[in-house]
Amino acid sequence: MSIYKLVSGILLINFFLGFSQDESTATEIWSPIPVKINASDFNVAPSDAIILFDGKDFSNWVTQYSNEIPKWKINSDGSMTVINGTGGIKTIESYGSVQLHVEWKTSKGIRNKKPQYNSNSGVFLQQQYELQILDSYENPTYVNGQAGAIYKQHSPMVNSSKKPGEWQSYDVIFNSPVFDKKKLIKPAFFTVFQNGVLIQNHVEVQGATTNVGLPKYNSHGNLPLVLQDHPSLPLSFRNIWIRKIAD
Ligand code: MG
């Protein structure tokens, strides 16, 4: 190898090394360092989550309309069952944008002929945006009202429902709407996984859930999370945790 080739080779290597190093470091961000948390199994709450229901009591909950101790049933297996007619339950604390984990189980056995009466409940983010809960395993109904629907607004992308009597999970990312006084600045968005499967991909919420007519927004700040009491075959919950996320 001639001296000329050797020198040009070294120059070329230096040029590319120097070039890539300078260019790449310019776009490296080193702070703030993300807080270290302990995450374990997908269904186990990470260390920075707020545990809303751990199977022991209703200490984080009150009845939806009367702010009393919920009359739902706590079971020996660490779950709770909706008692129809006693009303929905809501968290004592209010939330904005959140990551939420909820596990739920529909009823085994004879089904109601009306599809919407088979273990109907729902998770209402900020008391008004419903992620539908229903036994949607071979229980056809209007698709924007089946399990995983943002009720009457967005049908789930797929039906990943398990059989009646099997525990299921929702993992939710909810971005709270933003208002300037009464004016909507930014709508709410949902991303939802049911049993680990993506069923809602950053869908835009059109307003508060309504069963009749079209949804519309009413300006609000942080509000509680509500679990619905809907007349139906029993529905149980367990392992509910939430993480606040910054907007
Ligand atoms: Mg419902």
Side-chain angles (χ1 to χ4, degrees):
M1 184 183 288
S2 73
I3 288 290
Y4 173 76
K5 275 190 179 168
L6 184 65
V7 170
S8 5
I10 290 168
L11 284 176
L12 203 62
I13 288 165
N14 278 343
F15 173 77
F16 278 113
L17 279 178
F19 180 80
S20 66
Q21 206 171 15
D22 287 348
E23 287 295 301
S24 66
T25 53
T27 48
E28 290 175 359
I29 295 171
W30 286 74
S31 70
I33 297 168
V35 174
K36 172 78 178 76
I37 62 157
N38 295 320
S40 137
D41 182 78
F42 192 66
N43 289 345
V44 176
S47 59
D48 65 344
I50 299 162
I51 310 296
L52 292 178
F53 181 71
D54 64 0
K56 296 191 180 82
D57 57 45
F58 289 115
S59 55
N60 293 307
W61 302 84
V62 290
T63 49
Q64 187 177 358
Y65 299 114
S66 49
N67 295 315
E68 292 167 356
I69 296 169
K71 294 173 183 69
W72 292 9
K73 183 172 176 252
I74 292 186
N75 307 305
S76 55
D77 64 355
S79 65
M80 60 168 151
T81 301
V82 183
I83 303 296
N84 278 163
T86 65
I89 65 172
K90 68 180 178 189
T91 55
I92 292 170
E93 193 175 339
S94 292
Y95 298 95
S97 298
V98 293
Q99 176 187 351
L100 173 72
H101 177 87
V102 179
E103 294 175 29
W104 50 277
K105 185 175 76 171
T106 60
S107 285
K108 230 172 163 177
I110 298 169
R111 280 177 164 154
N112 194 301
K113 283 179 186 160
K114 294 179 180 174
Q116 288 287 322
Y117 283 71
N118 287 310
S119 298
N120 188 336
S121 182
V123 183
F124 281 73
L125 278 294
Q126 298 190 315
Q127 294 189 151
Q128 47 200 317
Y129 311 111
E130 184 185 12
L131 167 59
Q132 171 73 314
I133 289 179
L134 191 71
D135 175 2
S136 285
Y137 187 86
E138 297 173 355
N139 178 40
T141 185
Y142 45 98
V143 294
N144 59 354
Q146 71 179 66
I150 307 306
Y151 190 76
K152 295 268 179 95
Q153 298 189 27
H154 296 282
S155 309
M157 295 156 76
V158 292
N159 181 344
S160 61
S161 292
K162 291 187 182 179
K163 289 178 181 171
E166 293 184 13
W167 282 104
Q168 310 198 44
S169 62
Y170 277 157
D171 287 276
V172 181
I173 297 163
F174 175 75
N175 300 108
S176 171
V178 178
F179 299 92
D180 179 9
K181 295 183 182 136
K182 291 200 167 175
K183 193 178 169 214
L184 178 71
I185 301 295
K186 196 173 146 195
F189 291 90
F190 269 101
T191 296
V192 182
F193 294 82
Q194 183 181 0
N195 302 320
V197 179
L198 181 66
I199 57 165
Q200 299 286 358
N201 185 11
H202 198 61
V203 294
E204 182 179 324
V205 178
Q206 287 133 27
T209 299
T210 178
N211 197 27
V212 179
L214 297 175
K216 62 175 192 292
Y217 278 102
N218 299 299
S219 64
H220 62 79
N222 290 357
L223 287 169
L225 178 82
V226 168
L227 302 178
Q228 185 186 36
D229 169 16
H230 185 289
S232 75
L233 294 177
L235 184 282
S236 298
F237 289 97
R238 73 175 184 192
N239 191 19
I240 305 175
W241 50 263
I242 198 164
R243 297 177 69 244
K244 296 177 186 177
I245 48 179
D247 289 308

